[in-house]
Amino acid sequence: MANVDYKIIVGLEIHVQLATRTKMFCGCELIFAAQPNSRVCPVCLGLPGALPVMNRQAVEFAILTAVAINCKIAEFTKWDRKSYYYPDLPKNYQISQYDLPIGSNGFIGIPLPDGKVKKVRIRRVHLEEDAGKNLHTAENCSQVDLNRAGTPLLEIVTEPDINSAEEVKLLAIELQRIVRFLGVSEADMQKGHMRFEPNVNLHIKKDDTEYKTPITEIKNLNSFKVLEKSAVFEVRRQLDEFLESGIVLQSGNKKTFGWDDVREVTVLQREKEEAHDYRYFPDPDLVPVVINEKWLAEIKAELCELPLTMQERFVSGYGLSDYDAGVLTADRTTAEYFDNAVKAGGDAKRVCNLITQTGLKIANEKGYKVSELGISPQRLAELAGMVETGQISATASVTIFEKMMESKNSPQQIAESLNLLQKNDEGELGKIVDKVIASNPQAARDVKSGDKKSKKAHGFLMGQVMQKTKGTANPQVVAKILNSKLNKGI
Amino acid sequence: MNLTDLTALQLRNGIKNGSVKSADATEAVFEQIEKHDAKIGAFLDTFKKDALVKAKEIDEKIGKGEPVGALAGVPMAVKDNMCTTFGTTTCASKMLKNFRSPYNATVIEKLLAADAIIIGKTNLDEFAMGSSTENSDLKKTVNPWDSSRVPGGSSGGSAAAVAAKMCFAAMGSDTGGSIRQPASFCGVVGLKPTYGRVSRYGLVAYGSSLDQIGPLTKNIEDCALMLNVIAGHDEKDSTSVDEKMAPLCDWLEKINRPVTGLKIAVVPQLFEGADGEVVNAIKSAVEVYKELGAEIVEIKMPHFEYAIAAYYLIATAEASSNLARYDGVHYGYRTARPADYIEVYTKSRNEALGAEVKRRIMLGTYALSSGYYDAYYLKALKVRNLIRGDFTAAFEKADCIIMPTSPTTAFKIGEKTADPLQMYLSDVYTIAVNLAGVPAISIPCGFDKNKLPIGLQIIASAFAEDKLLRIARMFEKAD
Amino acid sequence: MGPKKIDIEQVKQVAKLARLALSEAEIAQFAVQLSAILEYVEKLNQLDTANVEPLAHCLPVNNCFRDDVIKPSLGTEKTISNAPDKDEQFFIVPKILEDTGDF
């Protein structure tokens, strides 16, 4: 049996739909699920005589993203026409960028499950316009909808630095997080705001010789789950194909595969020979973009703290677990909400729990963000403080949280009005404990005995105290008093 | 005197002061059209009813003392490669024979806002590709001076319409000489403004970095009047310059002020390619300027002879891309029974585009294709830089350059259609100007022994239309 | 006469790129005409352009932008009004069998 070992090599090409109000080169509104062909004008329809004009916001979003992923920003950049014929491309060329992309030579850090951060290099970032949509649902024709034609797309291409299917998914998730943090894209997979095309091949070591399999580009992946699945499948397929046929990477034998979501396999697509000659040349209808230092500085000033940086700060600075920090920084408003509450004096772990265990659940049900529930960071900090000092139980904090959503009152006021303040006074509680012990001598003896009945008896006595205090006694304090009294013996 | 003998400016002034009715002028041009256009074939479409309605409106407004625009009531024609919401915009092609544009070109909007009366769309070489209007797929236009000859191209219809007094002025477009050369052949004035001076929004693109819209008129004053209306930055055209770079002025106001200390450059080497009578006419014109006090400077333009080669790579490359959209899918002609969607493209385009258009698309596609881009397209762009350098150097020595507009007067119909290259070579004097982006005008400067008009071309530096028009006016007044 | 600048096979290739269903006669004619034109443009090689920048744009203009403000669209009816084949809302083309264009 041959000695076979392999390394997975993946580069990812990502298209991100930018969250501008209008298209890249015209003022048509960008809106999801509009009536077909209702958001089209002479420019994006490619009518005779129509001319494109650059959307400044799109360019600034692109520069901001490129900066966020550590790219070198071009001082001079331009537009090129990429020619090919397809019914959803009305001009039969796409306005894109060829040899002078807006950003190049950057990198992203992706947080791995083991806590390490993997660096993936970014080859280039450029802007282009999207095509419309062809629909093939009708029986004997295809229908063309140009609403999407002209949408600004950011294309990000990584170096082949990714080495597992899981890493592919994690990179995609991190990129989604970054663009959402920056506010440059909604990045909603359901709406097709992010599209991924992994380029996969293997470096196989067989009997001390290294072989490279041909590269496969996989298209038509519409979720993170499918992204990972297809990579797993493709790795297996390439390994099998190599072991069977011995075919290796050659110039020009890159293939395109589509993902079949029903059969869960990658399927070879037909070669598009002419598609390779895109005949790029500078678009004469558009003037170049010059990004000077002043403009770049203005855009850099807009840069927020990036998600991974924030996540790492929550771990090292606030002592949160990696997992919790990850949950909080999945979304910028949530992360900032948490951060502000802690800065307002809230204990980090308590605030975190309030958000992750209570706030997020409620927010998701209502379809809001946690920060939109009506509880300011200050009030949240106060609530956390009350749990920290034992003034209220953790259970009570949930009730109070919900009330705080509708009321402007302080958590203190709400706790009082709902009678949720815990009794913590040891003296007062001590007297009640004494009474309960006195009334239940058998149970007290059972606890002291330490045998089978001890635990149940302990619980019974606790219950009695809680009953006497109508549930307002702080259970930890009661237990402490009870234990000390019973251990000391009467 | 017939109303149609008036210049646009005279007519406009007359209409404004109530001494002439726009309705009468409009009737008059339609009388000319009905009398002559069956033979000349300048118009692809006319709008008599709407024109008269608009003319009456203008007359009424003036009667009431209401304000009207700079072209109030002046009937004019527009080359049929400028989009209009009225009528069709065919580009003289089967491909767009039934195309109704949902928007007006910016220039059209400006003309309408100035209260001009647009009476019809004129014939052209298909998609503006040609130098004789013989490439029109829809109609034949002849030269009003001699119906066995071409009117020039590609704005042949507009030039013929002005020459035959079927309108008071017309709009054309110029990519390699398409305003100036037909103006020269038809004995009218034709101006190609500086690239970026006039909006291209709504001009059906041929060579995007070369195309400019401009007027064809009876005289220089009319030209200035038209430029006043159509020039200016357009936010819908990224290549149109703003007022900071190209200040607007009232070109009509200064038109009669001669340029003092005028220095005129001539390029002796260029005379070699032109007909004897053309050369004589140009030389006589030079003498006229000398008598007006101008200093004549002889210069060389060493890269001029490479302009045609560079142009036919750059323009065709851009055209091959600009015309890719004509595919039978979203608008335009579609072939009758396509077997699949690929045949929608290949058959529609082949059936509806004419030979010259196809030829240029093929040439341009080849020049951009993988393996040939550097040798052809990129090389041409570099030569373009050298050609522009020749003009920059020339304008350091002189206010303008003078040369013939065309090596010949109007040639016979069919004379140059056998060999495309021969047709291209006839653009020798006009083409370099588009590559450099500078403004140029053709003005009538005499006739040859066959009574065919000869055109004098004056070229100025970028955004110097002011000087250019005044220099042209100096000659017109003296002549 | 030397070898043709562009032969029949190349003309066919270019016609494919340009989506033109040229007839055999047209292909043959274009091979001749395009060769002549390409022969003519060879004269550009007489010029040394090693240190010359390509001039794609005549104007020294950069950064021509528009604001991200919504402008009215044409509306579905007007958008498809010139379509050779359409239904109530879409442009219609013969059925596309392999969807190779979409991302």
Side-chain angles (χ1 to χ4, degrees):
Chain A
M1 188 57 177
N3 196 0
V4 174
D5 196 14
Y6 64 88
K7 189 172 176 198
I8 299 170
I9 310 285
V10 182
L12 200 53
E13 193 180 294
I14 306 111
H15 285 90
V16 180
Q17 186 176 306
L18 295 180
T20 51
R21 277 185 222 108
T22 62
K23 295 186 177 183
M24 185 68 232
F25 295 111
C26 67
C28 285
E29 185 183 17
L30 284 180
I31 177 171
F32 188 67
Q35 182 191 321
N37 289 307
S38 63
R39 296 301 193 280
V40 183
C41 75
V43 177
C44 53
L45 176 50
L47 283 184
L51 295 172
V53 183
M54 286 187 270
N55 181 335
R56 182 191 294 106
Q57 181 67 273
V59 175
E60 293 194 327
F61 277 176
I63 296 172
L64 188 64
T65 308
V67 168
I69 58 181
N70 305 290
C71 287
K72 175 169 181 293
I73 306 299
E75 283 171 24
F76 178 91
T77 180
K78 62 175 172 60
W79 300 95
D80 302 291
R81 293 188 183 178
K82 178 181 183 181
S83 296
Y84 64 95
Y85 281 77
Y86 213 57
D88 63 5
L89 194 66
K91 300 187 295 293
N92 289 319
Y93 63 83
Q94 177 196 37
I95 301 177
S96 178
Q97 297 190 291
Y98 181 52
D99 55 330
L100 293 176
I102 280 181
S104 57
N105 296 333
F107 61 88
I108 296 185
I110 47 177
L112 299 176
D114 63 3
K116 296 211 186 83
V117 173
K118 170 156 182 163
K119 180 171 159 184
V120 174
R121 291 168 301 160
I122 303 295
R123 182 178 299 172
R124 54 181 284 150
V125 174
H126 77 251
L127 263 178
E128 57 188 34
E129 55 172 355
D130 204 353
K133 279 205 177 104
N134 295 323
L135 298 135
H136 313 290
T137 47
E139 251 201 59
N140 47 16
C141 68
S142 289
Q143 296 162 305
V144 184
D145 175 11
L146 296 181
N147 279 348
R148 196 183 67 176
T151 303
L153 285 184
L154 197 61
E155 179 173 321
I156 301 172
V157 181
T158 77
E159 296 290 357
D161 289 349
I162 302 162
N163 302 111
S164 76
E166 186 190 36
E167 280 177 12
V168 176
K169 186 181 75 174
L170 292 175
L171 175 63
I173 291 172
E174 185 60 17
L175 201 49
Q176 182 192 51
R177 189 164 77 150
I178 291 174
V179 298
R180 281 179 170 173
F181 254 66
L182 294 174
V184 303
S185 173
E186 270 178 56
D188 184 339
M189 295 295 285
Q190 254 82 326
K191 294 183 182 172
H193 291 160
M194 281 186 99
R195 298 170 223 157
F196 300 94
E197 275 159 38
N199 282 258
V200 183
N201 83 329
L202 306 175
H203 291 182
I204 298 176
K205 202 137 177 242
K206 183 173 166 207
D207 298 328
D208 293 324
T209 315
E210 203 187 66
Y211 304 90
K212 295 182 182 174
T213 57
I215 299 175
T216 295
E217 182 186 39
I218 310 175
K219 285 174 144 39
N220 194 30
L221 304 166
N222 56 14
S223 72
F224 297 135
K225 203 167 70 168
V226 157
L227 178 59
E228 189 180 18
K229 258 197 217 172
S230 68
V232 168
F233 179 88
E234 185 55 25
V235 165
R236 186 79 241 165
R237 189 199 67 78
Q238 286 195 14
L239 186 61
D240 290 345
E241 184 181 76
F242 171 77
L243 291 175
E244 223 183 87
S245 68
I247 297 180
V248 293
L249 172 68
Q250 275 165 3
S251 144
N253 72 351
K254 175 171 167 179
K255 287 196 161 49
T256 301
F257 276 67
W259 173 253
D260 181 331
D261 209 20
V262 174
R263 293 188 294 148
E264 301 206 332
V265 298
T266 57
V267 179
L268 177 64
Q269 295 194 334
R270 217 168 65 99
E271 298 297 301
K272 304 180 281 172
E273 339 89 63
E274 319 93 358
H276 294 306
D277 194 353
Y278 292 121
R279 306 191 290 293
Y280 287 101
F281 76 103
D283 194 322
D285 291 331
L286 290 164
V287 295
V289 177
V290 170
I291 305 169
N292 62 17
E293 276 188 40
K294 178 164 173 275
W295 189 22
L296 190 53
E298 282 167 21
I299 293 173
K300 280 185 174 166
E302 296 285 308
L303 200 56
C304 61
E305 188 180 5
L306 291 175
L308 187 56
T309 312
M310 235 176 166
Q311 181 176 335
E312 288 170 342
R313 177 164 68 81
F314 288 177
V315 170
S316 63
Y318 293 150
L320 295 188
S321 71
D322 217 22
Y323 176 78
D324 279 341
V327 172
L328 290 172
T329 54
D331 165 74
R332 181 173 164 186
T333 58
T334 306
E336 286 177 345
Y337 182 62
F338 164 78
D339 204 19
N340 288 335
V342 175
K343 287 180 178 157
D347 172 75
K349 288 219 176 60
R350 295 277 178 210
V351 175
C352 172
N353 289 344
L354 280 170
I355 293 177
T356 58
Q357 290 165 13
T358 306
L360 282 175
K361 227 182 293 175
I362 298 174
N364 286 339
E365 275 166 29
K366 290 186 182 291
Y368 290 145
K369 299 266 163 76
V370 188
S371 53
E372 292 168 343
L373 293 177
I375 302 173
S376 70
Q378 285 71 23
R379 288 206 296 160
L380 186 64
E382 275 175 46
L383 183 61
M386 292 179 75
V387 178
E388 180 70 11
T389 56
Q391 281 186 281
I392 54 175
S393 68
T395 327
S397 70
V398 177
T399 315
I400 297 171
F401 186 100
E402 287 171 3
K403 270 287 180 289
M404 283 167 79
M405 281 165 38
E406 302 143 28
S407 157
K408 291 268 181 249
N409 292 335
S410 71
Q412 182 78 25
Q413 291 167 313
I414 294 172
E416 277 170 20
S417 68
L418 294 177
N419 219 11
L420 288 171
L421 288 175
Q422 285 187 148
K423 293 201 191 310
N424 287 301
D425 181 46
E426 292 197 20
E428 196 187 328
L429 288 176
K431 286 196 189 115
I432 298 174
V433 171
D434 285 341
K435 276 209 193 111
V436 164
I437 289 174
S439 319
N440 300 279
Q442 183 57 44
R445 274 196 295 274
D446 286 342
V447 173
K448 274 198 266 188
S449 75
D451 67 19
K452 256 198 304 196
K453 288 186 261 182
S454 162
K455 205 161 164 206
K456 199 168 170 193
H458 187 276
F460 171 72
L461 289 175
M462 285 283 299
Q464 288 297 296
V465 176
M466 296 306 289
Q467 212 180 61
K468 288 242 183 297
T469 60
K470 293 196 178 66
T472 58
N474 185 332
Q476 281 99 315
V477 177
V478 171
K480 188 175 119 200
I481 297 171
L482 189 61
N483 291 343
S484 85
K485 284 201 189 286
L486 291 178
N487 284 336
K488 277 201 183 122
I490 298 175
Chain B
M1 183 179 80
N2 203 317
L3 270 180
T4 57
D5 290 330
L6 293 176
T7 67
L9 184 62
Q10 288 167 339
L11 177 64
R12 193 262 337 241
N13 289 340
I15 289 173
K16 268 195 162 170
N17 67 29
S19 58
V20 184
K21 291 274 182 279
S22 171
D24 290 338
T26 308
E27 289 277 10
V29 293
F30 273 105
E31 249 180 68
Q32 278 294 95
I33 291 172
E34 275 138 37
K35 232 195 275 182
H36 300 291
D37 203 40
K39 183 159 153 221
I40 296 177
F43 285 91
L44 288 172
D45 196 7
T46 53
F47 317 116
K48 185 169 177 183
K49 207 163 103 195
D50 288 337
L52 286 171
V53 166
K54 179 93 191 270
K56 288 203 178 81
E57 270 172 29
I58 302 284
D59 289 330
E60 272 167 28
K61 265 185 154 177
I62 289 170
K64 288 191 203 144
E66 285 169 25
V68 288
L71 291 172
V74 177
M76 37 186 318
V78 164
K79 185 176 179 181
D80 203 18
N81 64 350
M82 294 177 215
C83 288
T84 54
T85 55
F86 43 94
T88 49
T89 302
T90 68
C91 300
S93 177
K94 248 194 259 168
M95 177 56 80
L96 293 178
K97 195 156 154 217
N98 300 310
F99 174 70
R100 292 187 174 275
S101 172
Y103 77 102
N104 278 327
T106 296
V107 165
I108 302 294
E109 292 288 345
K110 288 188 160 186
L111 293 174
L112 293 174
D115 289 322
I117 316 277
I118 300 179
I119 58 162
K121 312 280 300 278
T122 57
N123 199 17
L124 60 152
D125 284 297
E126 188 183 3
F127 284 107
M129 298 185 194
S131 311
S132 64
T133 307
E134 292 173 290
N135 291 329
S136 168
D137 227 353
L138 302 182
K139 199 165 199 181
K140 185 167 122 170
T141 307
V142 304
N143 193 315
W145 296 88
D146 178 341
S147 61
S148 72
R149 295 178 183 269
V150 301
S154 60
S155 310
S158 282
V162 175
K165 300 184 182 168
M166 296 191 285
C167 61
F168 287 84
M171 300 305 302
S173 71
D174 190 312
T175 306
S178 290
I179 287 176
R180 292 161 285 155
Q181 187 250 42
S184 157
F185 281 10
C186 291
V188 298
V189 174
L191 169 71
K192 184 202 87 67
T194 311
Y195 182 84
R197 181 63 97 175
V198 178
S199 168
R200 289 188 301 116
Y201 187 77
L203 171 67
V204 180
Y206 155 25
S208 315
S209 73
L210 305 155
D211 295 339
Q212 262 302 268
I213 292 176
L216 290 103
T217 57
K218 296 180 182 181
N219 68 3
I220 311 282
E221 276 185 331
D222 284 358
C223 212
L225 172 64
M226 296 294 297
L227 190 62
N228 279 355
V229 173
I230 63 175
H233 175 66
D234 182 11
E235 59 173 22
K236 297 202 205 81
D237 175 1
S238 301
T239 61
S240 83
V241 293
D242 63 28
E243 276 85 42
K244 254 185 282 166
M245 183 172 290
L248 294 175
C249 63
D250 184 343
W251 285 285
L252 186 55
E253 193 198 22
K254 310 167 154 200
I255 196 77
N256 290 306
R257 237 187 290 161
V259 176
T260 48
L262 177 58
K263 279 208 187 114
I264 297 179
V266 290
V267 192
Q269 81 196 83
L270 293 181
F271 284 128
E272 289 162 30
D275 274 2
E277 287 184 273
V278 171
V279 172
N280 288 338
I282 307 304
K283 285 188 170 161
S284 302
V286 170
E287 289 305 310
V288 170
Y289 276 109
K290 264 199 199 147
E291 277 161 37
L292 292 171
E295 183 192 329
I296 309 301
V297 179
E298 282 192 1
I299 63 166
K300 284 201 193 334
M301 296 189 77
H303 303 99
F304 205 85
E305 63 174 282
Y306 300 95
I308 293 177
Y311 172 89
Y312 277 100
L313 289 173
I314 297 169
T316 58
E318 294 178 0
S320 72
S321 174
N322 286 329
L323 271 69
R325 65 191 64 194
Y326 303 113
D327 60 7
V329 175
H330 308 97
Y331 50 85
Y333 171 93
R334 185 187 287 198
T335 185
R337 271 168 298 277
D340 53 31
Y341 84 95
I342 304 249
E343 276 199 0
V344 171
Y345 295 143
T346 57
K347 285 198 170 166
S348 303
R349 288 164 64 77
N350 200 51
E351 288 163 20
L353 297 174
E356 183 59 37
V357 169
K358 283 194 280 197
R359 198 161 21 241
R360 296 195 192 194
I361 289 174
M362 292 286 289
L363 186 52
T365 305
Y366 184 75
L368 290 175
S369 63
S370 167
Y372 297 107
Y373 178 91
D374 284 0
Y376 290 118
Y377 181 70
L378 196 60
K379 181 81 183 180
L381 288 184
K382 293 183 175 193
V383 173
R384 181 180 191 172
N385 205 351
L386 294 174
I387 291 170
R388 188 175 70 163
D390 280 3
F391 281 95
T392 311
F395 294 126
E396 278 162 18
K397 302 201 183 95
D399 297 294
C400 68
I401 309 169
I402 276 184
M403 65 178 72
T405 304
S406 170
T408 65
T409 53
F411 43 85
K412 291 253 186 218
I413 294 169
E415 186 181 317
K416 293 191 194 266
T417 48
D419 182 358
L421 192 51
Q422 282 314 303
M423 189 73 87
Y424 299 167
L425 293 174
S426 67
D427 291 330
V428 60
Y429 297 123
T430 50
I431 244 174
V433 169
N434 300 78
L435 290 170
V438 293
I441 194 169
S442 177
I443 57 181
C445 69
F447 296 85
D448 71 2
K449 61 180 187 295
N450 294 321
K451 296 212 179 59
L452 297 168
I454 299 172
L456 171 70
Q457 187 182 197
I458 309 171
I459 308 164
S461 57
F463 304 112
E465 281 87 351
D466 168 44
K467 237 197 271 183
L468 179 65
L469 290 168
R470 287 159 56 204
I471 293 171
R473 178 73 184 127
M474 286 165 74
F475 176 80
E476 191 187 51
K477 257 205 281 207
D479 207 33
Chain C
M1 195 173 75
K4 270 225 185 62
K5 272 274 170 212
I6 180 170
D7 62 25
I8 302 278
E9 272 320 298
Q10 286 173 304
V11 171
K12 284 187 178 168
Q13 240 325 95
V14 176
K16 207 168 171 194
L17 288 177
R19 296 295 188 274
L20 289 167
L22 299 177
S23 66
E24 292 300 317
E26 282 173 310
I27 292 171
Q29 193 183 51
F30 279 171
V32 172
Q33 290 172 337
L34 292 177
S35 287
I37 297 165
L38 289 170
E39 195 67 55
Y40 175 75
V41 302
E42 275 298 311
K43 72 186 286 170
L44 292 180
N45 289 324
Q46 294 167 10
L47 295 171
D48 179 6
T49 54
N51 296 317
V52 182
E53 283 299 303
L55 186 65
H57 284 103
C58 266
L59 303 165
V61 176
N62 299 315
N63 295 359
C64 186
F65 293 115
R66 41 170 266 274
D67 294 332
D68 193 21
V69 170
I70 297 171
K71 294 267 161 81
S73 301
L74 288 173
T76 304
E77 205 187 308
K78 260 201 187 154
T79 296
I80 60 177
S81 62
N82 280 294
D85 194 2
K86 58 182 184 273
D87 61 23
E88 294 86 47
Q89 298 181 325
F90 295 98
F91 302 91
I92 300 283
V93 292
K95 190 91 187 255
I96 300 168
L97 295 171
E98 6 75 24
D99 199 339
T100 50
D102 240 346
F103 290 112

